[in-house]
Amino acid sequence: MTDAATATAPTTASAEPTVRYALADGVATVELNRPAVLNAFDDAMFDALAAAIERAPRDGARALLLTGAGRAFCAGQDLAALGDDPSAQDFGELLRRRYNPLLLSLRALPMPVVVAVNGVAAGAGMSLALAGDIVLAARSASFLQAFTKIGLIPDSGSTWLLPRLVGEMRARALAMLAEKLGAEDAQRWGLVWEVLDDDALMPRARALATSLAARPTAAFAMTKRAFDASAGNGLAEQLALEADLQSAAGRTDDCREGIDAFRTRRAPVFHGR
Ligand code: T3D
């Protein structure tokens, strides 16, 4: 990352940080950094990612870009870190304590989350990728619901996100067959917004995140709330929520600026408030 990078939560005083964090042009760039194990989650990486998600809004970031170091995005739970007798653990407890709060905090970030899937996204790593607002993928990237291969069920939001993105049939087949889905198929199925040649992925992801960060990000935060709520709402409730959020959006400086810029035929300058 750039020299503006701030390392987050190294495993030891001298070790590489398990997550790299950098802030530039309103974009918090967060890179999972355990490439030797395809950025699989151990406790340190959980803590570091949770800290980065919490830090971005405090730093004034207006977009977050999430990616992985090396040849993978994230291989899900670090299966080696589960100890000698993994089945002695309560995996549900690990979800409640670690994955679930992490996914919810990422999803609730009041800014656009761009995910650049640079390689394989497996297990909870796939769930993490799908939790973004706009997902870009390298042409060589792939998506794998690895869970059932090891006798587990899809978690970290995959049973919620997947059917909404690709429909029930494809979601169930992906979960049960646990076959890799290539980036181009993932785009055709609606899991990915854009597929790019591998070396074009990060420049495009940075440009997109930077562009989003300069737009009316308070309205984006409300847009996210509306979409997330829609899954549990009937039409009447959703219309009511849209009206409430639109009242708030209409009172922002950005809305005043957007309308004035349109009327005076100039480019708007948004500040995210
Ligand atoms: O509460 C709970 O804990 C339950 C929560 C579960 C959430 C989950 O995420 S469950 C699913 C866990 N993830 C997996 O099962 C994926 C396991 N990995 C793979 O299937 C494959 O590695 C991939 C398909 C992702 C990539 O395959 P490939 O051939 O490109 O790479 P590789 O050779 O398998 O892996 C490269 C290295 O990364 C290798 O280490 P080595 O031999 O070079 O020293 C491999 O062991 C390591 N690695 C990959 N995934 C993991 C991992 N090490 C630990 N944990 C991993 N998940």
Side-chain angles (χ1 to χ4, degrees), residues 3 18 28 35 52-53 72 81 87 97 113 115 121 160 179 211 218 220 255-256:
D3 53 9
T18 57
I53 291 169
S87 58
R97 183 164 48 88
V113 174
V115 181
W160 194 90
E179 289 170 359
S211 160
F220 289 160
C255 182
R256 265 189 295 279

PDB file of all heavy atoms in Angstrom, residues 3 18 28 35 52-53 72 81 87 97 113 115 121 160 179 211 218 220 255-256:
ATOM      1  N   ASP A   3       2.546   4.993   1.150  1.00  0.00           N
ATOM      2  CA  ASP A   3       3.201   5.341   2.406  1.00  0.00           C
ATOM      3  C   ASP A   3       2.241   5.954   3.412  1.00  0.00           C
ATOM      4  O   ASP A   3       2.594   6.175   4.554  1.00  0.00           O
ATOM      5  CB  ASP A   3       4.411   6.251   2.182  1.00  0.00           C
ATOM      6  CG  ASP A   3       4.052   7.468   1.353  1.00  0.00           C
ATOM      7  OD1 ASP A   3       2.848   7.680   1.110  1.00  0.00           O
ATOM      8  OD2 ASP A   3       4.963   8.202   0.966  1.00  0.00           O
ATOM      9  N   THR A  18      -1.908  -8.233   9.646  1.00  0.00           N
ATOM     10  CA  THR A  18      -2.817  -9.188   8.988  1.00  0.00           C
ATOM     11  C   THR A  18      -3.861  -8.461   8.144  1.00  0.00           C
ATOM     12  O   THR A  18      -4.519  -9.083   7.315  1.00  0.00           O
ATOM     13  CB  THR A  18      -3.539 -10.065  10.019  1.00  0.00           C
ATOM     14  OG1 THR A  18      -4.229  -9.204  10.905  1.00  0.00           O
ATOM     15  CG2 THR A  18      -2.563 -10.920  10.799  1.00  0.00           C
ATOM     16  N   ALA A  28     -11.048   4.569   2.341  1.00  0.00           N
ATOM     17  CA  ALA A  28     -10.292   3.690   3.246  1.00  0.00           C
ATOM     18  C   ALA A  28     -10.076   2.379   2.495  1.00  0.00           C
ATOM     19  O   ALA A  28     -11.032   1.688   2.150  1.00  0.00           O
ATOM     20  CB  ALA A  28     -11.073   3.444   4.524  1.00  0.00           C
ATOM     21  N   PRO A  35      -1.403 -13.809   2.906  1.00  0.00           N
ATOM     22  CA  PRO A  35      -1.404 -14.468   1.590  1.00  0.00           C
ATOM     23  C   PRO A  35      -0.950 -15.925   1.623  1.00  0.00           C
ATOM     24  O   PRO A  35      -1.386 -16.716   0.784  1.00  0.00           O
ATOM     25  CB  PRO A  35      -0.454 -13.596   0.759  1.00  0.00           C
ATOM     26  CG  PRO A  35       0.321 -12.788   1.733  1.00  0.00           C
ATOM     27  CD  PRO A  35      -0.528 -12.621   2.937  1.00  0.00           C
ATOM     28  N   ALA A  52     -10.523  -2.023  11.398  1.00  0.00           N
ATOM     29  CA  ALA A  52     -10.487  -1.189  10.183  1.00  0.00           C
ATOM     30  C   ALA A  52     -11.889  -0.709   9.811  1.00  0.00           C
ATOM     31  O   ALA A  52     -12.079   0.453   9.424  1.00  0.00           O
ATOM     32  CB  ALA A  52      -9.880  -1.985   9.025  1.00  0.00           C
ATOM     33  N   ILE A  53     -12.876  -1.596   9.959  1.00  0.00           N
ATOM     34  CA  ILE A  53     -14.265  -1.222   9.623  1.00  0.00           C
ATOM     35  C   ILE A  53     -14.758  -0.141  10.582  1.00  0.00           C
ATOM     36  O   ILE A  53     -15.450   0.802  10.199  1.00  0.00           O
ATOM     37  CB  ILE A  53     -15.170  -2.467   9.658  1.00  0.00           C
ATOM     38  CG1 ILE A  53     -14.820  -3.399   8.497  1.00  0.00           C
ATOM     39  CG2 ILE A  53     -16.648  -2.088   9.627  1.00  0.00           C
ATOM     40  CD1 ILE A  53     -15.472  -4.776   8.571  1.00  0.00           C
ATOM     41  N   ALA A  72      -5.279 -14.617  -3.652  1.00  0.00           N
ATOM     42  CA  ALA A  72      -6.645 -14.938  -3.217  1.00  0.00           C
ATOM     43  C   ALA A  72      -7.302 -13.713  -2.601  1.00  0.00           C
ATOM     44  O   ALA A  72      -6.616 -12.796  -2.129  1.00  0.00           O
ATOM     45  CB  ALA A  72      -6.626 -16.067  -2.193  1.00  0.00           C
ATOM     46  N   ALA A  81      -6.201 -22.980  12.234  1.00  0.00           N
ATOM     47  CA  ALA A  81      -6.270 -22.238  13.504  1.00  0.00           C
ATOM     48  C   ALA A  81      -7.357 -22.777  14.424  1.00  0.00           C
ATOM     49  O   ALA A  81      -7.534 -22.283  15.543  1.00  0.00           O
ATOM     50  CB  ALA A  81      -6.528 -20.752  13.214  1.00  0.00           C
ATOM     51  N   SER A  87     -13.765 -30.325  15.965  1.00  0.00           N
ATOM     52  CA  SER A  87     -15.170 -30.605  16.247  1.00  0.00           C
ATOM     53  C   SER A  87     -15.495 -30.470  17.737  1.00  0.00           C
ATOM     54  O   SER A  87     -16.661 -30.502  18.131  1.00  0.00           O
ATOM     55  CB  SER A  87     -15.565 -31.982  15.732  1.00  0.00           C
ATOM     56  OG  SER A  87     -14.739 -32.947  16.321  1.00  0.00           O
ATOM     57  N   ARG A  97     -19.706 -14.797  17.942  1.00  0.00           N
ATOM     58  CA  ARG A  97     -18.700 -13.917  18.546  1.00  0.00           C
ATOM     59  C   ARG A  97     -17.908 -13.146  17.493  1.00  0.00           C
ATOM     60  O   ARG A  97     -17.538 -12.000  17.715  1.00  0.00           O
ATOM     61  CB  ARG A  97     -17.761 -14.790  19.401  1.00  0.00           C
ATOM     62  CG  ARG A  97     -16.696 -14.045  20.171  1.00  0.00           C
ATOM     63  CD  ARG A  97     -16.085 -14.925  21.260  1.00  0.00           C
ATOM     64  NE  ARG A  97     -15.713 -16.241  20.810  1.00  0.00           N
ATOM     65  CZ  ARG A  97     -14.521 -16.564  20.279  1.00  0.00           C
ATOM     66  NH1 ARG A  97     -13.607 -15.634  20.130  1.00  0.00           N
ATOM     67  NH2 ARG A  97     -14.260 -17.806  19.915  1.00  0.00           N
ATOM     68  N   VAL A 113     -19.336   0.360  -0.002  1.00  0.00           N
ATOM     69  CA  VAL A 113     -18.257  -0.613   0.163  1.00  0.00           C
ATOM     70  C   VAL A 113     -18.017  -1.265  -1.199  1.00  0.00           C
ATOM     71  O   VAL A 113     -18.902  -1.938  -1.747  1.00  0.00           O
ATOM     72  CB  VAL A 113     -18.634  -1.685   1.205  1.00  0.00           C
ATOM     73  CG1 VAL A 113     -17.555  -2.777   1.263  1.00  0.00           C
ATOM     74  CG2 VAL A 113     -18.821  -1.049   2.588  1.00  0.00           C
ATOM     75  N   VAL A 115     -15.890  -3.998  -3.208  1.00  0.00           N
ATOM     76  CA  VAL A 115     -15.054  -5.174  -2.959  1.00  0.00           C
ATOM     77  C   VAL A 115     -14.350  -5.535  -4.268  1.00  0.00           C
ATOM     78  O   VAL A 115     -15.006  -5.684  -5.305  1.00  0.00           O
ATOM     79  CB  VAL A 115     -15.894  -6.366  -2.456  1.00  0.00           C
ATOM     80  CG1 VAL A 115     -14.989  -7.564  -2.181  1.00  0.00           C
ATOM     81  CG2 VAL A 115     -16.649  -5.981  -1.178  1.00  0.00           C
ATOM     82  N   ALA A 121     -12.546 -16.554  -3.588  1.00  0.00           N
ATOM     83  CA  ALA A 121     -13.281 -16.142  -2.386  1.00  0.00           C
ATOM     84  C   ALA A 121     -14.054 -17.384  -1.950  1.00  0.00           C
ATOM     85  O   ALA A 121     -14.999 -17.801  -2.638  1.00  0.00           O
ATOM     86  CB  ALA A 121     -14.233 -14.997  -2.700  1.00  0.00           C
ATOM     87  N   TRP A 160     -28.456 -15.813   3.276  1.00  0.00           N
ATOM     88  CA  TRP A 160     -29.315 -14.618   3.113  1.00  0.00           C
ATOM     89  C   TRP A 160     -28.953 -13.891   1.829  1.00  0.00           C
ATOM     90  O   TRP A 160     -29.820 -13.521   1.044  1.00  0.00           O
ATOM     91  CB  TRP A 160     -29.119 -13.707   4.331  1.00  0.00           C
ATOM     92  CG  TRP A 160     -30.146 -12.627   4.501  1.00  0.00           C
ATOM     93  CD1 TRP A 160     -31.323 -12.701   5.194  1.00  0.00           C
ATOM     94  CD2 TRP A 160     -30.084 -11.283   3.979  1.00  0.00           C
ATOM     95  NE1 TRP A 160     -31.996 -11.500   5.140  1.00  0.00           N
ATOM     96  CE2 TRP A 160     -31.253 -10.610   4.408  1.00  0.00           C
ATOM     97  CE3 TRP A 160     -29.161 -10.592   3.214  1.00  0.00           C
ATOM     98  CZ2 TRP A 160     -31.525  -9.283   4.085  1.00  0.00           C
ATOM     99  CZ3 TRP A 160     -29.431  -9.262   2.879  1.00  0.00           C
ATOM    100  CH2 TRP A 160     -30.606  -8.629   3.324  1.00  0.00           C
ATOM    101  N   GLU A 179     -19.015 -26.171  -5.992  1.00  0.00           N
ATOM    102  CA  GLU A 179     -18.110 -26.077  -7.143  1.00  0.00           C
ATOM    103  C   GLU A 179     -17.742 -24.608  -7.340  1.00  0.00           C
ATOM    104  O   GLU A 179     -18.572 -23.723  -7.137  1.00  0.00           O
ATOM    105  CB  GLU A 179     -18.812 -26.588  -8.415  1.00  0.00           C
ATOM    106  CG  GLU A 179     -19.018 -28.090  -8.408  1.00  0.00           C
ATOM    107  CD  GLU A 179     -19.919 -28.571  -9.554  1.00  0.00           C
ATOM    108  OE1 GLU A 179     -20.388 -27.734 -10.345  1.00  0.00           O
ATOM    109  OE2 GLU A 179     -20.146 -29.792  -9.621  1.00  0.00           O
ATOM    110  N   SER A 211     -14.348   7.833  -6.949  1.00  0.00           N
ATOM    111  CA  SER A 211     -15.473   8.549  -7.549  1.00  0.00           C
ATOM    112  C   SER A 211     -16.691   8.504  -6.623  1.00  0.00           C
ATOM    113  O   SER A 211     -17.366   9.518  -6.409  1.00  0.00           O
ATOM    114  CB  SER A 211     -15.776   7.922  -8.909  1.00  0.00           C
ATOM    115  OG  SER A 211     -17.073   8.233  -9.315  1.00  0.00           O
ATOM    116  N   ALA A 218     -23.962  10.745   2.056  1.00  0.00           N
ATOM    117  CA  ALA A 218     -25.028  10.628   3.070  1.00  0.00           C
ATOM    118  C   ALA A 218     -26.257   9.970   2.431  1.00  0.00           C
ATOM    119  O   ALA A 218     -26.926   9.120   3.047  1.00  0.00           O
ATOM    120  CB  ALA A 218     -25.386  12.000   3.634  1.00  0.00           C
ATOM    121  N   PHE A 220     -26.080   7.901  -0.037  1.00  0.00           N
ATOM    122  CA  PHE A 220     -25.725   6.489  -0.213  1.00  0.00           C
ATOM    123  C   PHE A 220     -26.016   5.696   1.064  1.00  0.00           C
ATOM    124  O   PHE A 220     -26.502   4.567   1.026  1.00  0.00           O
ATOM    125  CB  PHE A 220     -24.242   6.326  -0.553  1.00  0.00           C
ATOM    126  CG  PHE A 220     -23.855   6.792  -1.937  1.00  0.00           C
ATOM    127  CD1 PHE A 220     -22.533   7.085  -2.228  1.00  0.00           C
ATOM    128  CD2 PHE A 220     -24.797   6.921  -2.949  1.00  0.00           C
ATOM    129  CE1 PHE A 220     -22.155   7.493  -3.497  1.00  0.00           C
ATOM    130  CE2 PHE A 220     -24.430   7.335  -4.221  1.00  0.00           C
ATOM    131  CZ  PHE A 220     -23.099   7.629  -4.493  1.00  0.00           C
ATOM    132  N   CYS A 255     -28.069  17.622  -0.998  1.00  0.00           N
ATOM    133  CA  CYS A 255     -29.277  17.735  -1.820  1.00  0.00           C
ATOM    134  C   CYS A 255     -29.442  19.177  -2.295  1.00  0.00           C
ATOM    135  O   CYS A 255     -29.704  19.431  -3.480  1.00  0.00           O
ATOM    136  CB  CYS A 255     -30.501  17.250  -1.036  1.00  0.00           C
ATOM    137  SG  CYS A 255     -31.999  17.311  -2.030  1.00  0.00           S
ATOM    138  N   ARG A 256     -29.239  20.112  -1.364  1.00  0.00           N
ATOM    139  CA  ARG A 256     -29.319  21.538  -1.770  1.00  0.00           C
ATOM    140  C   ARG A 256     -28.312  21.814  -2.888  1.00  0.00           C
ATOM    141  O   ARG A 256     -28.628  22.437  -3.901  1.00  0.00           O
ATOM    142  CB  ARG A 256     -29.018  22.447  -0.563  1.00  0.00           C
ATOM    143  CG  ARG A 256     -30.268  22.922   0.166  1.00  0.00           C
ATOM    144  CD  ARG A 256     -29.936  23.982   1.211  1.00  0.00           C
ATOM    145  NE  ARG A 256     -29.106  23.444   2.293  1.00  0.00           N
ATOM    146  CZ  ARG A 256     -29.589  22.757   3.313  1.00  0.00           C
ATOM    147  NH1 ARG A 256     -30.871  22.544   3.420  1.00  0.00           N
ATOM    148  NH2 ARG A 256     -28.784  22.301   4.253  1.00  0.00           N
TER     149      ARG A 256
END
